[in-house]
Amino acid sequence: MPPTIPIKENEQNLEPTPPPLFPGSLQEVCIRAPRVYDWILSGNWHRYQICVPDPCKDVLQEALCAGREVYVRCLDPFSSEHAGALSIRVLPPIRRTVIQVNGCTAPVGVIRTSLELCASILVFADCELLFDFTTPLLLQDELVVSLPESLNESDICCRVATGECLPFTGFLHHNVIELELLVCTEIIVEACSTLEILAKPCLPRTNLIPVPPRSLTQGCPPFHTPPCTKKLGCSKP
């Protein structure tokens, strides 16, 4: 039996050799991508009492005393035509706390949103425009959003998804117009994040789709046999 030759310590490979990576196999990679921490659709409303401007009070009272039918219209302040006069933002500071979600502690932030817009009000009497005016409106809301410590109000995006302005005429005799403002707000907490995922490289596909033949738009006309003439050397039967 041949003698056993001992292996020196510096010749031993104690770490396993990783298998070779083949194209298309899953690998752990790090990427940077926008991450959505929270996404909310919130409804809010408020009722306002708008005083009629002083120059218009006498005109309104004369129409009411004459028994004319007075009604009010509010132009849509959320249309694209009035988008420049509308703004919504998150008011600092953010009040931070933690809540329990499915038995786990999650950091959240209590935020306040402020919506500013201008409402155009038109007052009619028997289908005749008496006067119109514009009034500013302010609507605030308070919400709880998922907000890690590293994020702040600059990572919160707000926009008005839809809204409606409804006027009421119950206090016209007191020179007051009531407006109800109903708003649906979309709030997204989003920030760039570094993630480790399992992925595989994208490989180009094989070009197996044939190119369709070119053809006339109207198609080819039906083929007709040309008439027989002397120039074609046709012989009479």
Side-chain angles (χ1 to χ4, degrees):
M1 181 176 183
T4 302
I5 302 175
I7 300 176
K8 295 181 180 181
E9 185 177 355
N10 58 359
E11 293 180 354
Q12 293 180 356
N13 185 12
L14 302 179
E15 296 182 0
T17 303
L21 294 176
F22 296 98
S25 62
L26 290 176
Q27 308 172 33
E28 292 183 357
V29 296
C30 290
I31 64 171
R32 287 184 62 84
R35 177 182 174 183
V36 176
Y37 293 86
D38 210 344
W39 189 7
I40 304 173
L41 280 177
S42 173
N44 191 16
W45 76 280
H46 190 73
R47 181 176 295 162
Y48 304 86
Q49 289 190 340
I50 310 299
C51 293
V52 175
D54 292 337
C56 306
K57 292 180 179 179
D58 293 340
V59 178
L60 175 61
Q61 294 305 319
E62 288 178 4
L64 293 173
C65 293
R68 304 178 68 182
E69 181 183 1
V70 179
Y71 57 94
V72 182
R73 293 287 182 267
C74 179
L75 296 183
D76 185 8
F78 305 99
S79 63
S80 57
E81 300 176 358
H82 303 87
L86 185 148
S87 67
I88 183 170
R89 59 192 179 96
V90 177
L91 299 175
I94 297 176
R95 181 164 58 91
R96 296 182 181 271
T97 184
V98 293
I99 61 174
Q100 294 291 326
V101 180
N102 297 328
C104 300
T105 301
V108 297
V110 181
I111 65 171
R112 289 190 306 148
T113 61
S114 176
L115 171 64
E116 300 178 21
L117 56 86
C118 289
S120 298
I121 301 173
L122 297 85
V123 180
F124 295 86
D126 296 333
C127 299
E128 176 190 354
L129 178 63
L130 293 181
F131 57 89
D132 63 282
F133 63 97
T134 302
T135 180
L137 299 179
L138 176 66
L139 180 64
Q140 293 188 354
D141 197 6
E142 192 174 54
L143 307 100
V144 176
V145 298
S146 175
L147 193 70
E149 290 291 338
S150 58
L151 305 184
N152 52 39
E153 59 268 13
S154 63
D155 301 303
I156 304 175
C157 178
C158 301
R159 78 172 187 93
V160 175
T162 185
E164 192 174 3
C165 177
L166 302 175
F168 296 92
T169 58
F171 294 92
L172 284 181
H173 288 281
H174 301 281
N175 294 316
V176 172
I177 298 173
E178 279 195 330
L179 288 181
E180 279 191 3
L181 191 66
L182 299 92
V183 180
C184 180
T185 306
E186 181 184 30
I187 300 166
I188 300 178
V189 182
E190 183 181 20
C192 193
S193 179
T194 302
L195 305 175
E196 185 177 280
I197 63 172
L198 285 176
K200 61 181 180 179
C202 295
L203 300 177
R205 66 173 178 83
T206 306
N207 185 20
L208 298 178
I209 302 177
V211 178
R214 300 288 295 273
S215 61
L216 296 174
T217 305
Q218 302 296 332
C220 295
F223 177 77
H224 298 284
T225 304
C228 186
T229 61
K230 294 181 179 181
K231 291 183 179 180
L232 295 178
C234 297
S235 56
K236 297 182 179 180

